[in-house]
């Protein structure tokens, strides 16, 4: 069964249709990279998957459960958006850490808030917080940040901040981890350290959707590459096919513009 099944997602802003029917699916442990020029709708698609935007059409299912169906009655669609969001983790271009919290606090914050809804929260608070804290430390260690847990974001490099953001996204154990150009705000050296941890996650069978303009990385890490242009999927398939031997003229032009840069 597909972990993620996206069917015919459409989204307009005003009169302009930005997503014109995007479909793809993803099995557990697979990595899909989405490539395409600026303005092609990649961020809008990720925002739709994470319920930060409501699609105008189409459906989104996770592990066979329909989380969104534009054809369903409005009341049903609105039901418990927060729970639905928990299926997805999102790592933004610009990290978006909370500046007033340490690295560790950034990673534990959402879990602590959610814990309040658990039964017997008051009696079990100490145990619950200890568990959340332990898991956060483990994730930060996995991100190579054992010695940075008590630092505030402004005391960290961009690459370190982005690795904290990845730990934070993983802390709620999402079914699918999404990245929106996770390295585009970083210089080449810091880019490599972030790509290394994403590579590690792929090796550990983390199911991921990665919007990236790092072509060599996309080719290396992905099970599937999707080339988007002007709100449609122009071409999709294995990295060898889409990046190595594209069949569509638009894909070739896009890749050529990269090779010349
Ligand atoms: N909230 C919004 N309101 C109006 N237009 C938007 C909004 N968000 C994105 N757009 C437009 O949608 C198009 C696709 O944007 P985006 O999804 O950010 O593309 P990409 O991430 O591929 O660069 C752009 O033309 C952008 O200006
Ligand atoms: Mg974008």
């Amino acid at each position: 069964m597909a972990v993620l099944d996206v069917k015919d997602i459409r989204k307009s802003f005003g009169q302009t249709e930005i997503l014109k029917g995007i479909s793809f699916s993803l099995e557990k442990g697979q990595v899909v990279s989405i490539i395409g020029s600026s303005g092609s709708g990649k961020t809008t698609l990720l925002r739709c998957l994470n319920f930060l935007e409501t699609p105008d059409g189409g459906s989104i299912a996770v592990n066979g459960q329909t989380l969104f169906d534009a054809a369903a009655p409005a009341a049903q669609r609105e039901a418990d958006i927060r729970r639905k969001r928990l299926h997805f983790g999102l790592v933004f271009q610009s990290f978006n850490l909370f500046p007033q919290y340490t690295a560790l606090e950034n990673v534990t914050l959402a879990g602590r808030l959610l814990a309040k809804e658990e039964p017997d929260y008051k009696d079990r608070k100490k145990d619950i917080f200890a568990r959340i804290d332990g898991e956060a430390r483990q994730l930060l260690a996995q991100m190579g940040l054992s010695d940075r847990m008590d630092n505030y974001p402004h005391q960290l490099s961009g690459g370190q901040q982005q690795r904290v953001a990845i730990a934070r996204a993983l802390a709620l154990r999402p079914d699918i981890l999404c990245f929106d150009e996770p390295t585009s705000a970083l210089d080449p050296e810091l880019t490599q350290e972030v790509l290394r941890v994403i590579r590690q996650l792929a090796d550990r069978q983390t199911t991921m959707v990665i919007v990236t303009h790092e072509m060599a990385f996309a080719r290396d890490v992905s099970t599937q590459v999707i080339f988007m242009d002007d709100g449609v999927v122009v071409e999709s398939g294995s990295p060898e096919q889409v990046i190595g031997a594209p069949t569509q003229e638009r894909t070739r032009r896009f890749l050529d513009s990269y090779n010349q840069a």
Side-chain angles (χ1 to χ4, degrees), residues 46-202:
L46 282 191
R47 289 177 59 81
C48 285
L49 294 181
N50 286 269
F51 302 102
L52 298 170
E53 301 282 356
T54 308
D56 302 315
S59 65
I60 300 169
V62 173
N63 294 324
Q65 182 195 359
T66 300
L67 297 184
F68 174 85
D69 185 349
Q76 195 177 323
R77 273 188 286 142
E78 296 307 317
D80 208 359
I81 271 278
R82 224 156 41 104
R83 287 273 148 209
K84 293 178 179 180
R85 277 196 188 126
L86 293 178
H87 291 285
F88 294 88
L90 179 56
V91 176
F92 299 89
Q93 213 163 348
S94 52
F95 332 139
N96 291 7
L97 296 178
F98 300 107
Q100 72 276 34
Y101 295 125
T102 64
L104 184 63
E105 288 165 345
N106 264 279
V107 179
T108 56
L109 185 69
R112 284 178 174 226
L113 288 173
L114 276 171
K116 290 188 178 166
E117 291 167 21
E118 285 186 27
D120 313 323
Y121 166 72
K122 286 220 171 74
D123 304 332
R124 295 170 49 226
K125 185 172 167 180
K126 221 176 127 197
D127 289 348
I128 294 173
F129 277 26
R131 175 179 54 77
I132 291 170
D133 192 82
E135 287 174 359
R137 287 173 187 276
Q138 210 173 351
L139 283 169
L140 284 166
Q142 192 187 323
M143 294 295 125
L145 293 167
S146 295
D147 54 345
R148 292 294 186 173
M149 302 204 188
D150 299 321
N151 285 159
Y152 289 87
H154 74 91
Q155 298 170 317
L156 300 171
S157 74
Q160 290 166 336
Q161 289 183 56
Q162 190 59 306
R163 286 182 282 141
V164 174
I166 296 170
R168 180 177 60 178
L170 286 167
L172 296 178
R173 303 177 182 281
D175 294 295
I176 301 127
L177 184 57
C178 303
F179 293 87
D180 192 2
E181 303 197 5
T183 61
S184 61
L186 302 174
D187 63 32
E189 200 180 325
L190 301 183
T191 292
Q192 288 314 312
E193 71 182 43
V194 169
L195 294 183
R196 252 195 316 272
V197 303
I198 302 175
R199 166 87 249 177
Q200 256 177 41
L201 293 174

Side-chain angles (χ1 to χ4, degrees), residues 37-39 41-44 93 180-181 211:
S37 320
S38 171
K42 305 180 300 296
T43 294
T44 304
Q93 213 163 348
D180 192 2
E181 303 197 5
V211 171

